Amino acid sequence: MPRFLALICCLALPLSAFAANDSYISRLLNKSVPGGVAVIDLGTSGPAPHASFQGRPVLVVNEQGNHWLAIVGLPLTLKPGIQQVQVQNGQAFNFSVGSKHYPEQRITLKNQRQVNPEPDDLKRINGELAEQEAAYRSFSPGTPSNLLLDKPVNGPLSSRFGVRRFFNGEERNPHAGLDFAVPAGTPIKTPASGKVVLIGNYFFNGNTVFVDHGQGFISMFCHLSKIDVQIGQVLNRGAVVGRVGSTGRATGPHMHWNVSLNDARVDPAIFIGAFQP
Ligand code: ZN
């Protein structure tokens, strides 16, 4: 095709579609499957739109001048098909969610109480769950310092996100994060700037730190041997939050990292370029 014709074809595309397809954020983060992320083009006009998915506010970022993208977390429980992002002005944006197969993992625990907790444990677990769910639902106005995240530790992955887990033969919740095989004591660095919104010592997660990167984009690190931060502390990208350990329900030292968007736990591997379809 003569060069001038190709140029005319490109110019004939709506600007928003062209810019979204060209966006590095779309290219790197758009993995529209359960447990993944959908990047939705909200258009180019006006101030930052307020968008929501399933009733929860979603992260909206600006790219290429006045161009708005919604970065939507898709829960593991989401059914493949057409989904919708709502915008405050009444507009709705459809997007399609594909399917993804997550493999099984079988784990043996010596402590049967960590598989079938006793009544007192359940009381504690439910309280801790509520506390952590509230942290995941917090929505602060700041824009994240970076969407492509740094690895919190340098080491090989030992368990991927989404695997269906069986403890001593009994199925429990799927793996909501990514595990890195690194020695106890390894410093864990926050993969983007943020504020410490929750710390705790939990039945399953052990010593845990939640870092809010802004607009519902939240990291959680658990099983720590030591916590080096306090609630309310503001952290620069790369600041140490604590040390790798094996507290809580863990078969040995490793770093477990959750990433959440709009209260949906999504695959952290997307943000470090290690996602597998
Ligand atoms: Zn884990």
Side-chain angles (χ1 to χ4, degrees):
M1 189 192 290
R3 212 169 128 200
F4 71 91
L5 258 181
L7 194 68
I8 288 166
C9 289
C10 285
L11 289 175
L13 278 171
L15 188 62
S16 59
F18 180 76
N21 293 338
D22 200 34
S23 149
Y24 82 94
I25 295 175
S26 287
R27 268 189 287 112
L28 298 174
L29 298 187
N30 189 45
K31 315 284 180 201
S32 191
V33 293
V37 172
V39 180
I40 315 295
D41 176 11
L42 300 180
T44 56
S45 62
H50 292 278
S52 64
F53 178 61
Q54 296 187 328
R56 301 207 184 283
V58 302
L59 168 63
V60 172
V61 295
N62 186 285
E63 198 188 41
Q64 298 172 350
N66 198 18
H67 191 88
W68 300 104
L69 299 173
I71 316 293
V72 185
L74 308 175
L76 263 176
T77 51
L78 197 64
K79 296 264 181 292
I82 301 299
Q83 296 289 339
Q84 204 170 62
V85 164
Q86 314 280 342
V87 177
Q88 207 175 28
N89 65 10
Q91 262 185 300
F93 294 83
N94 286 347
F95 63 98
S96 107
V97 176
S99 59
K100 179 167 162 56
H101 172 75
Y102 291 100
E104 288 180 6
Q105 182 184 27
R106 290 179 185 268
I107 297 163
T108 304
L109 291 174
K110 281 189 207 127
N111 185 352
Q112 186 61 25
R113 233 172 112 178
Q114 290 179 333
V115 184
N116 291 308
E118 292 170 7
D120 276 359
D121 298 333
L122 282 174
K123 221 168 132 188
R124 177 183 164 191
I125 289 163
N126 288 334
E128 293 175 354
L129 212 63
E131 205 171 283
Q132 294 176 83
E133 280 169 358
Y136 281 127
R137 285 193 200 116
S138 58
F139 196 85
S140 59
T143 298
S145 60
N146 45 297
L147 293 178
L148 306 182
L149 300 175
D150 305 322
K151 281 189 193 174
V153 292
N154 270 322
L157 299 179
S158 51
S159 178
R160 288 195 164 266
F161 171 90
V163 289
R164 293 177 54 208
R165 296 190 306 179
F166 295 78
F167 292 96
N168 300 352
E170 297 188 46
E171 185 163 16
R172 293 293 178 265
N173 287 335
H175 196 219
L178 211 54
D179 289 348
F180 290 78
V182 280
T186 305
I188 300 166
K189 296 175 180 177
T190 182
S193 301
K195 186 177 175 179
V196 179
V197 288
L198 182 64
I199 58 176
N201 179 7
Y202 300 127
F203 186 86
F204 288 124
N205 288 340
N207 290 324
T208 302
V209 176
F210 281 74
V211 179
D212 177 4
H213 304 303
Q215 293 190 47
F217 190 31
I218 291 165
S219 280
M220 184 275 263
F221 312 94
C222 66
H223 308 309
L224 276 54
S225 58
K226 182 170 175 277
I227 293 173
D228 288 322
V229 290
Q230 293 176 340
I231 287 213
Q233 199 172 328
V234 176
L235 306 173
N236 288 326
R237 180 179 182 176
V240 172
V241 302
R243 314 283 159 166
V244 171
S246 54
T247 54
R249 187 177 63 188
T251 51
H254 69 279
M255 202 279 296
H256 175 110
W257 174 36
N258 276 9
V259 171
S260 189
L261 279 167
N262 49 274
D263 192 27
R265 259 54 81 204
V266 296
D267 190 348
I270 293 168
F271 301 88
I272 58 170
F275 178 80
Q276 286 182 351

